[in-house]
Amino acid sequence: PWCVSPKELKAYGGPIEVRCEASGPGARKEGAPTGCWLLKQTSQDYSLTKDRSRISGPIKIPGLNAYDQSKVDPSVYVQDDPQNRGLSEAVAENFVINGSLEEPSVERLNSYTFFLTL
């Protein structure tokens, strides 16, 4: 359990899992890069999340061209290029939902309601 500043966390990007209640009060402030505040606001049953905020980091979007890239936050969406750091949409969603960085199975993919949209 290491403590990092919000600035360092934002620079790292992810993927990372944050235990919100074990974090300092600044980690739970609205707008903090931990996402703890958003997790608490949007979770139907906060106890089910086990107090974990999962930050996927940049998400690779197939077909995102340079023009589109200029209109999105590069810490959130990047071009699907081997030189770009980031996860595919499916792996990012699997990490946020299940905590796994593996490519989800077709059955699991079909069970998701995709929340990653531009």
Side-chain angles (χ1 to χ4, degrees):
W2 298 304
C3 294
V4 298
S5 72
K7 181 181 176 183
E8 291 166 326
L9 179 62
K10 192 170 184 177
Y12 172 70
I16 192 167
E17 185 175 87
V18 177
R19 184 166 167 232
C20 297
E21 294 302 321
S23 301
R28 295 184 297 273
K29 285 185 180 176
E30 188 166 333
T34 61
C36 291
W37 59 277
L38 184 60
L39 179 68
K40 192 150 192 161
Q41 283 181 1
T42 59
S43 180
Q44 296 288 331
D45 185 351
Y46 188 62
S47 66
L48 290 177
T49 66
K50 296 187 175 71
D51 185 40
R52 303 291 199 275
S53 175
R54 294 184 183 124
I55 304 164
S56 68
I59 300 167
K60 293 182 176 185
I61 305 295
L64 186 68
N65 61 37
Y67 173 76
D68 292 333
Q69 181 69 58
S70 71
K71 298 189 298 185
V72 298
D73 183 343
S75 68
V76 179
Y77 298 110
V78 294
Q79 290 176 314
D80 189 3
D81 182 306
Q83 294 181 359
N84 285 338
R85 185 181 69 123
L87 304 175
S88 70
E89 290 178 275
V91 172
E93 187 165 21
N94 195 33
F95 175 68
V96 170
I97 294 170
N98 302 302
S100 171
L101 287 169
E102 295 180 10
E103 192 72 40
S105 67
V106 173
E107 294 80 24
R108 180 161 282 191
L109 274 174
N110 290 335
S111 72
Y112 293 163
T113 40
F114 284 90
F115 64 91
L116 304 171
T117 57
L118 280 176

